[in-house]
Amino acid sequence: MKVKKTKKVLLHTHLEGSLPAEMLKSLSIRNKVLLPFDPITDNLTNFCQKGNWQTFRRVFFAICSCFKTAYNFTEAVVAYAQQLQEHGVLYAEVHCTPWKHLSRGVALDEISSGLLLGVKLAEELHNVRVRIILWNGSWKRPGHC
């Protein structure tokens, strides 16, 4: 049995860090965002592993800066769903980090309407059920700093 042909469920992934390279490159060009790496030629996983937490944050914030409109969120979910379909994923729970987009002035309505349309189109176009988990960006628990 081949792994790609096995039907799968993905329970923890992050939209901003899971975009297909071509989609990320397209978003960065259209929204005039200079990324600290080339999504097509650089291996993002290797790029982040070579750095430290500050490098990871710089890369993550740059990727988040590529999202400016509802349509950006929609097309990101749909492109990711296409990639998931190619790997046999039928269902995915995808985290999104709205606090970073809100802090840059993207309206909550832009974020939510784009994500919801993306979820609908992901199922219609790629037969992948995507559910969005909004993450507030905090790892803090009571008693921890």
Side-chain angles (χ1 to χ4, degrees):
M1 171 171 50
K2 292 189 176 189
V3 174
K4 276 196 171 187
K5 292 187 178 188
T6 302
K7 300 302 178 192
K8 302 171 202 74
V9 171
L10 186 59
L11 296 178
H12 189 120
T13 187
H14 294 260
L15 180 64
E16 296 90 348
S18 300
L19 292 177
E22 297 78 15
M23 172 55 60
L24 183 53
K25 182 80 167 184
S26 174
L27 283 173
S28 70
I29 291 169
R30 278 188 284 132
N31 291 324
K32 298 176 177 68
V33 174
L34 181 61
L35 295 172
F37 63 96
D38 185 312
I40 305 298
T41 60
D42 293 335
N43 182 326
L44 183 56
T45 302
N46 290 341
F47 182 82
C48 287
Q49 287 176 349
K50 290 178 184 173
N52 55 26
W53 178 245
Q54 292 304 322
T55 300
F56 172 81
R57 287 174 49 93
R58 186 169 51 98
V59 168
F60 174 73
F61 292 162
I63 291 171
C64 286
S65 297
C66 293
F67 290 82
K68 297 193 179 200
T69 67
Y71 181 69
N72 295 156
F73 289 93
T74 299
E75 63 184 330
V77 172
V78 171
Y80 188 40
Q82 180 179 357
Q83 181 176 302
L84 293 172
Q85 178 193 40
E86 292 167 4
H87 290 277
V89 176
L90 300 174
Y91 174 85
E93 293 180 357
V94 180
H95 291 248
C96 181
T97 312
W99 65 270
K100 188 59 189 160
H101 306 295
L102 292 167
S103 71
R104 293 181 302 98
V106 180
L108 184 58
D109 186 53
E110 289 282 307
I111 298 167
S112 59
S113 64
L115 291 171
L116 290 172
L117 181 56
V119 164
K120 180 181 178 202
L121 293 174
E123 190 158 5
E124 289 175 9
L125 298 173
H126 303 296
N127 201 30
V128 176
R129 291 187 71 195
V130 175
R131 295 301 176 255
I132 303 295
I133 298 170
L134 298 178
W135 184 57
N136 71 359
S138 173
W139 289 105
K140 292 183 182 179
R141 293 181 298 192
H144 293 80
C145 50

